Amino acid sequence: MGLTPLIQGEQCKHNDIKTPIMKATLLHQYHTIAPEEVTLWFKAAPVSKFPKNGGACIKYKDQQIAVFNFAKENIWYACQNLCPHKMEMVLSRGMIGDENLEPKVACPLHKNTFSLKTGAHLNGNLNAIATYPVRIIEGFVHIGFTE
Amino acid sequence: MKTVIVVGNGMVGYKFCEKFMAHENSSNFKLIVFGEEPRAAYDRVHLSEFFSNRDAQALQLAPLEWYSAHNIDLIINERVTDIHRDHKTISTASDKEYSYDYLVLATGSAPFVPPINGVEKKGVFVYRTIEDLEGMLAYAEKIKSRKDNGKAAILGGGLLGLEAGKAVMDMGLEPHVVEYAPKLMPRQLDSRSSNVLQLTLESIGIQIHTGKATNKILGNGAITGMDFGEDDTLEVDMLVVSAGIRPRDELAKTCDLKTGVRGGIVVNDRMQTSDPCIFAIGEVALYNQMIYGLVAPGYEMAEVAVNQILDNREAAMKKEIDMSTKLKLIGVDVASFGVPYMPADKGLSIIYENKTKGIYKRINVSHDGKTLLGGIMVGDAADYSILHQMYLNNIPLPDNAEELIVGARGEGGSAFGSAMDLPDTAVICSCEAVTKGQICCSVLDDGNESVKAVAKATKAGTGCGGCKPMLNDLVAESLKTIGKTVKNSICEHFNFSRQELYDIVKARGIKDYNELLDSAGSGGYGCEVCKPVAASIFASIYNETANRQETIQDSNDRYLANIQRNGTYSVVPRVAGGEITPKQLMALGRIAQKFDLYTKITGGQRIDMFGAKLHELPLIWEELLAEGFETGQAYGKSLRTVKSCVGSTWCRYGMDESVSLAIEIEHRYKGIRSPHKFKGGVSGCIRECAEARCKDFGLIAVEGGWNVYVGGNGGANPKHAELLAEKVDKKTAITYIDRFVMFYIKTAQPLQRTAAWLDKLEGGITYLKNVVINDSLGIADELDAEMQAYIDTYQCEWKEAVENPEIRSRYTHFVNSDAEDDNIEFVSLREQKMPKEWA
């Protein structure tokens, strides 16, 4: 099937700037990494860049990783920034907390909550999100990847 | 290890798997499930939601991991073609063979397409699967690219047909429902209720044609119209056939299982077919010479089959199957139960009809007036649950049976007893078949002391959710019998109501969230429920902005902007009273153009600018502040706008200056955080162009002063505000509203609008008048002082954010890169932009 050529000009400036990324492709970038699998600790940013008891997003290659700091006990978690519900890069902007002491993040769009330990969707049946190990070395946040 | 093969992965097929796995004896069995659709079981009942969100995954009943976690082999995209009963095997379209010990046929049904001349033409669809919907969507797009006023007809005015009507309307086509019978939903409704429903549907744009027999589909290749004979035609560009279902019983015919004359596999009350090792459940099963096209009986059949296979030979289907239904059809309540209509020799009916409000209620009672036989409700089905229970449990009718549908005379009375009067056997949740007895036992014997805990333990209320009001009552009443009350606790982290927490924060002088968690919490880290509640309380007590404790703020408050569908934000500066100068208008236009924002006028008389990326927000606000704008708090649970008509300054009917007063009040309350958003309106005369009575507070100018109204809102449950004071001067009116707002802020539940708050306030508007006008609680001075403190300490939180480098640094997508989020894409829409849909 042939595609109609785009009319150049003002009207289509938002169209087809680049190849659309398919949902599936986006999701397939993210896989849970267990601490023992880590082959590369990515030095992301100094601790001071991250809010206490909240999240921020870091860029690693083409991936977006949400990083959360539970400041009371200085525990850190990381997961994909992509919410699997509507496929938007927003989880780092969500509120964190716990459900029966299971640490979780709530998506800012529709309040789907995900375990930060297992990635499981806690209040529904969405697919689990990918989680990543975090280490603090000399005041810098490091995220564990396999490459 | 024995093998059970399930053919069909629809709703009933899935329910069979779920119940099978939940059963204690299931460990010695292996389940193999076949589905011919390309995806795992999804919620067909809510299929029309696919049109609004295009999200097939949201409809999914369980993720693929669920099947693998339970060691179920799910084989989708594969059709079972033959059953070989003598070897107990089945074979599939790709020629594979599988052995079974038990076979469960849950093949469901297919849409029935009547043999009308031309029905094979392009543009004729059925409405059953996600693939059907995708086909319809693609075709609708083609129509719309050719012409602006495309029309689509739906053949069949039953339940599903009307749903399809809404679906094609959502696709941007003009819907026409064509029904052969002289009325809509012929099985569930009588003709009068059908007329009421028809009026309502036509008022929202769905055209109804009843009593039409379609002779022929017109068109050359593709459909262009329908012919009803005698020169009666209807031009349409698309047709959706929804004329009933036919059971998918073809497999039974390959192996000589007994089937009915008009289709369906014959089953006994154990769901066994004529071969005792083969079961049939759901819409393919012919039980009592009937096919049941509803989910609830299908689920019951699944339960019976599970029990039969797992060694409980006692389990059996009831003789009588309840076909009562209640649904929200395109926003209109429609319900019918028992025998919806009948000739007079079988019973007598009591009918209430109000066409001005689109309400019809009918109950049928026995000749002796003692027994409820059935009924119909259109437009208002609030009493369905209790009437349905009275019918199911044969509860004797009260003397004045009419009060069941028109309400008891006199204030506050009710013809109904409490839900506790029902017998223990009454099924409260029909989706999960949970009885009143089970719910009460769960509270009293198993110690589940909240609705959430009971729902988790019994599964009640987890299906369609229609029984939730009764479930709430039963849990609350059961707790009362053991001397406990249902605690309005906020969440697992705080065992207090909002009002209690408010008092704790104030009394102990607590200043931040972690301190509150340590001082009054029950352990843990908090959550997305209690954090915004605490944020609202801190804001109410200390009038602090959302900037100080940003990580406990709700999504919008966190970045002082409204997060939209694609994770970008919209920006709304304050335009008090809706009054704006040409210079300000041009400034907004210039800034919106510079940042390429989609602009739209809001319902609150201001201008919303969409599509700002996180890092652009401070840049946009820097320019807005320089032009003299301030934040409009459209993101906050706080005052939104005070809407006004133009009033006596211009209007020849105006009694007073509504714009001036609206501006004064909007500036008075701006920035105040409250349990939920609140809105105001000021009208210059009783023509009420500002729609002030739809607001949380409203002022209407009348001869001799202002009338003050409170507790109205639009939204999902529209409610007119109630009269608080009549013909008062401006100063008095403002004092009353000050006290009303303050009293609401201190006592409401989280996310409770003033309308719901007033509704729940014991004594209602009379009590409120006493507090606000007569100072019956002796707190008027306190309320006045607290309000004055708010007004004196107002600051624009965007000014604070732009000027403070630490706050400003939060507005970045990545903390380790200046790159933008490349996931955000826009497409053009009427010369502006909108978020790109995901492929």
Side-chain angles (χ1 to χ4, degrees):
Chain A
M1 194 168 66
L3 287 171
T4 326
L6 283 168
I7 306 151
Q8 296 300 309
E10 190 69 12
Q11 269 190 339
C12 48
K13 69 181 170 184
H14 301 294
N15 263 338
D16 292 64
I17 295 165
K18 57 187 164 187
T19 335
I21 308 166
M22 297 287 166
K23 246 184 177 181
T25 332
L26 257 181
L27 258 184
H28 288 152
Q29 289 185 308
Y30 299 99
H31 301 285
T32 292
I33 310 280
E36 63 275 13
E37 295 169 341
V38 173
T39 54
L40 180 148
W41 286 99
F42 173 66
K43 185 175 175 181
V47 166
S48 60
K49 289 269 194 178
F50 298 83
K52 288 196 163 72
N53 300 308
C57 180
I58 64 118
K59 184 174 165 67
Y60 169 69
K61 295 185 178 168
D62 281 339
Q63 301 183 28
Q64 298 194 16
I65 307 295
V67 182
F68 303 98
N69 176 13
F70 286 65
K72 198 167 146 194
E73 281 139 18
N74 198 27
I75 304 172
W76 294 70
Y77 295 98
C79 66
Q80 66 188 53
N81 195 30
L82 183 70
C83 176
H85 176 217
K86 294 290 172 184
M87 306 301 286
E88 302 298 349
M89 293 289 188
V90 290
L91 289 181
S92 64
R93 292 178 242 163
M95 278 177 274
I96 57 171
D98 75 282
E99 183 173 322
N100 299 321
L101 296 179
E102 179 87 0
K104 66 174 181 177
V105 58
C107 175
L109 290 177
H110 303 96
K111 300 277 158 67
N112 282 298
T113 55
F114 300 93
S115 161
L116 289 170
K117 274 192 175 152
T118 64
H121 184 198
L122 299 174
N123 55 354
N125 280 331
L126 290 168
N127 290 330
I129 57 171
T131 58
Y132 300 84
V134 186
R135 259 198 209 168
I136 308 300
I137 309 165
E138 291 170 351
F140 271 79
V141 173
H142 291 64
I143 314 290
F145 293 98
T146 47
E147 57 186 69
Chain B
M1 187 69 116
K2 286 188 170 172
T3 304
V4 179
I5 290 185
V6 183
V7 186
N9 188 222
M11 295 181 76
V12 173
Y14 166 73
K15 187 54 81 172
F16 176 87
C17 299
E18 187 190 288
K19 291 193 185 276
F20 199 89
M21 284 305 150
H23 199 287
E24 52 196 12
N25 297 345
S26 64
S27 53
N28 291 327
F29 286 82
K30 167 84 188 166
L31 275 191
I32 305 176
V33 181
F34 290 89
E36 68 170 14
E37 286 188 55
R39 57 188 102 230
Y42 53 89
D43 183 355
R44 236 186 273 281
V45 173
H46 295 102
L47 197 58
S48 62
E49 283 171 17
F50 182 76
F51 284 102
S52 34
N53 56 24
R54 309 283 160 89
D55 186 357
Q57 203 172 23
L59 291 175
Q60 202 176 45
L61 293 173
L64 292 176
E65 289 86 68
W66 182 86
Y67 296 91
S68 50
H70 287 88
N71 199 23
I72 298 174
D73 288 346
L74 174 66
I75 303 167
I76 47 178
N77 236 334
E78 176 80 314
R79 197 159 51 84
V80 174
T81 51
D82 289 289
I83 301 171
H84 315 285
R85 285 167 53 191
D86 22 347
H87 314 115
K88 288 183 133 185
T89 61
I90 56 116
S91 47
T92 69
S94 60
D95 260 344
K96 296 204 179 78
E97 237 179 71
Y98 298 82
S99 306
Y100 66 82
D101 295 289
Y102 295 101
L103 183 62
V104 177
L105 301 175
T107 45
S109 65
F112 167 64
V113 180
I116 300 169
N117 185 355
V119 81
E120 72 294 338
K121 289 194 200 310
K122 258 171 61 181
V124 180
F125 293 87
V126 295
Y127 185 79
R128 170 93 186 168
T129 65
I130 288 181
E131 282 66 37
D132 295 335
L133 264 59
E134 285 171 340
M136 287 163 65
L137 278 168
Y139 199 80
E141 284 310 312
K142 277 205 328 224
I143 296 171
K144 284 191 285 181
S145 67
R146 266 192 296 120
K147 58 203 262 192
D148 285 338
N149 50 353
K151 291 181 187 172
I154 293 89
L155 188 64
L159 257 173
L160 203 59
L162 295 177
E163 282 271 341
K166 167 73 162 65
V168 300
M169 187 162 80
D170 288 347
M171 280 186 240
L173 300 175
E174 184 185 305
H176 291 259
V177 173
V178 177
E179 167 61 46
Y180 175 75
K183 58 182 180 178
L184 293 170
M185 298 177 64
R187 276 201 198 179
Q188 290 92 356
L189 300 184
D190 59 7
S191 16
R192 289 176 72 173
S193 51
S194 163
N195 288 339
V196 172
L197 180 62
Q198 178 167 353
L199 276 177
T200 310
L201 294 178
E202 287 180 340
S203 75
I204 58 172
I206 299 179
Q207 303 303 315
I208 309 285
H209 312 263
T210 51
K212 298 261 183 200
T214 311
N215 267 352
K216 207 170 147 186
I217 309 291
L218 304 172
N220 184 11
I223 179 171
T224 57
M226 298 163 76
D227 182 325
F228 307 122
E230 296 182 11
D231 285 340
D232 185 9
T233 59
L234 177 69
E235 269 183 40
V236 291
D237 306 284
M238 185 164 117
L239 175 66
V240 182
V241 178
S242 174
I245 54 170
R246 285 293 175 266
R248 291 279 307 269
D249 56 6
E250 61 268 23
L251 268 177
K253 290 175 178 153
T254 67
C255 62
D256 288 330
L257 287 176
K258 195 170 164 202
T259 56
V261 187
R262 282 182 296 164
I265 305 172
V266 176
V267 292
N268 60 18
D269 62 356
R270 299 165 171 190
M271 294 296 113
Q272 279 162 322
T273 64
S274 50
D275 177 335
C277 293
I278 302 181
F279 294 78
I281 56 178
E283 288 178 337
V284 75
L286 187 69
Y287 174 62
N288 277 350
Q289 285 141 27
M290 276 272 286
I291 295 288
Y292 298 90
L294 292 179
V295 161
Y299 284 3
E300 279 174 48
M301 293 179 184
E303 170 103 43
V304 171
V306 165
N307 278 300
Q308 285 292 337
I309 293 172
L310 296 177
D311 272 346
N312 176 5
R313 308 289 175 193
E314 301 293 294
M317 201 66 188
K318 288 188 295 254
K319 268 270 156 292
E320 298 274 323
I321 293 187
D322 180 30
M323 293 294 280
S324 303
T325 40
K326 177 191 170 207
L327 64 149
K328 232 188 175 56
L329 200 72
I330 325 175
V332 188
D333 277 334
V334 178
S336 83
F337 62 96
V339 188
Y341 50 89
M342 58 183 62
D345 61 332
K346 295 271 168 57
L348 301 170
S349 53
I350 303 173
I351 294 176
Y352 168 78
E353 181 183 271
N354 182 343
K355 281 193 175 153
T356 64
K357 289 188 174 163
I359 293 175
Y360 178 89
K361 298 183 191 181
R362 165 179 183 156
I363 51 173
N364 306 313
V365 303
S366 58
H367 282 283
D368 61 5
K370 295 230 162 76
T371 318
L372 183 61
L373 303 172
I376 298 172
M377 276 167 238
V378 169
D380 172 12
D383 299 329
Y384 168 79
S385 305
I386 196 92
L387 286 171
H388 185 209
Q389 288 298 339
M390 289 180 84
Y391 157 74
L392 287 178
N393 298 293
N394 268 321
I395 295 180
L397 287 169
D399 289 341
N400 300 318
E402 69 274 14
E403 291 181 357
L404 292 173
I405 51 173
V406 294
R409 274 179 225 104
E411 218 166 310
S414 167
F416 302 122
S418 118
M420 292 299 271
D421 297 340
L422 294 169
D424 281 349
T425 51
V427 175
I428 303 297
C429 170
S430 49
C431 297
E432 295 291 341
V434 187
T435 62
K436 179 207 155 196
Q438 286 170 297
I439 291 169
C440 296
C441 278
S442 177
V443 177
L444 301 174
D445 301 343
D446 305 339
N448 294 309
E449 296 190 350
S450 69
V451 173
K452 200 173 159 188
V454 171
K456 196 165 179 184
T458 63
K459 298 203 100 179
T462 59
C464 70
C467 62
K468 276 206 176 137
M470 289 192 105
L471 182 60
N472 287 338
D473 285 353
L474 286 174
V475 173
E477 292 293 321
S478 301
L479 283 174
K480 244 189 224 165
T481 63
I482 49 171
K484 293 188 177 176
T485 48
V486 192
K487 199 92 182 139
N488 274 323
S489 55
I490 292 169
C491 66
E492 65 179 81
H493 303 101
F494 292 98
N495 198 18
F496 299 104
S497 68
R498 180 183 182 275
Q499 190 179 349
E500 288 168 332
L501 210 57
Y502 185 102
D503 294 338
I504 289 171
V505 171
K506 191 151 192 188
R508 300 185 192 166
I510 294 169
K511 288 281 164 62
D512 66 52
Y513 179 78
N514 288 332
E515 198 185 334
L516 180 63
L517 199 56
D518 288 342
S519 165
S522 343
Y525 305 97
C527 69
E528 74 282 1
V529 177
C530 57
K531 284 181 172 183
V533 172
S536 156
I537 291 172
F538 288 125
S540 292
I541 293 177
Y542 305 113
N543 207 20
E544 69 180 38
T545 68
N547 289 323
R548 199 177 74 79
Q549 301 187 59
E550 87 277 16
T551 56
I552 62 166
Q553 306 294 335
D554 214 336
S555 310
N556 291 343
D557 276 315
R558 167 99 190 251
Y559 293 103
L560 310 180
N562 296 50
I563 193 164
Q564 302 294 350
R565 211 181 73 198
N566 64 345
T568 62
Y569 291 86
S570 71
V571 173
V572 190
R574 186 163 304 287
V575 177
E579 181 183 79
I580 188 163
T581 64
K583 185 167 168 281
Q584 286 177 311
L585 268 178
M586 284 190 280
L588 287 181
R590 177 184 64 74
I591 295 166
Q593 194 164 40
K594 175 171 174 184
F595 291 93
D596 190 19
L597 304 174
Y598 168 93
T599 54
K600 188 177 184 308
I601 308 292
T602 71
Q605 302 188 326
R606 41 195 192 172
I607 294 167
D608 205 341
M609 303 183 279
F610 292 78
K613 295 181 181 176
L614 186 61
H615 72 275
E616 293 175 325
L617 289 172
L619 304 172
I620 292 168
W621 271 106
E622 202 159 41
E623 302 215 12
L624 287 170
L625 290 163
E627 294 284 357
F629 286 101
E630 63 180 344
T631 181
Q633 259 102 15
Y635 45 80
K637 304 296 175 217
S638 54
L639 178 78
R640 294 294 170 81
T641 69
V642 181
K643 189 173 177 178
S644 68
C645 69
V646 81
S648 60
T649 30
W650 287 93
C651 176
R652 65 188 191 281
Y653 297 114
M655 307 286 294
D656 211 329
E657 283 183 68
S658 46
V659 182
S660 305
L661 183 55
I663 293 173
E664 181 180 342
I665 298 181
E666 184 160 340
H667 285 304
R668 187 173 181 83
Y669 300 142
K670 68 186 178 189
I672 296 176
R673 290 296 204 282
S674 44
H676 209 312
K677 63 183 175 186
F678 68 107
K679 304 174 179 185
V682 184
S683 276
C685 77
I686 49 147
R687 285 171 190 77
E688 242 283 74
C689 296
E691 298 167 335
R693 289 193 64 199
C694 302
K695 307 295 183 199
D696 297 273
F697 63 85
L699 292 158
I700 300 175
V702 291
E703 191 74 52
W706 294 92
N707 281 359
V708 182
Y709 296 87
V710 293
N713 67 218
N717 290 306
K719 188 169 179 285
H720 266 156
E722 296 183 61
L723 186 66
L724 180 72
E726 247 177 315
K727 294 184 189 175
V728 292
D729 62 27
K730 191 177 93 175
K731 188 163 167 285
T732 312
I734 291 178
T735 304
Y736 289 168
I737 299 175
D738 280 359
R739 291 175 188 169
F740 157 74
V741 170
M742 253 347 283
F743 191 47
Y744 160 68
I745 288 176
K746 293 171 83 123
T747 58
Q749 300 290 332
L751 301 181
Q752 188 177 38
R753 290 285 297 270
T754 60
W757 169 75
L758 188 54
D759 206 38
K760 288 267 152 40
L761 194 66
E762 222 158 290
I765 187 76
T766 319
Y767 177 76
L768 185 68
K769 276 182 189 171
N770 271 326
V771 175
V772 165
I773 301 173
N774 307 325
D775 193 15
S776 59
L777 297 179
I779 56 169
D781 289 344
E782 189 189 327
L783 297 178
D784 293 346
E786 283 170 328
M787 178 57 79
Q788 194 55 48
Y790 282 157
I791 297 160
D792 294 342
T793 55
Y794 167 80
Q795 51 176 322
C796 170
E797 52 201 350
W798 258 116
K799 185 164 185 287
E800 182 186 29
V802 165
E803 288 173 357
N804 178 323
E806 190 273 317
I807 299 174
R808 196 168 168 149
S809 72
R810 295 172 192 162
Y811 291 85
T812 163
H813 189 77
F814 295 111
V815 292
N816 66 335
S817 162
D818 292 332
E820 292 184 15
D821 177 6
D822 59 6
N823 191 50
I824 296 174
E825 286 183 59
F826 295 101
V827 293
S828 55
L829 171 77
R830 293 183 291 275
E831 297 180 39
Q832 298 203 60
K833 68 175 180 183
M834 64 169 277
K836 186 176 164 70
E837 300 277 356
W838 284 108

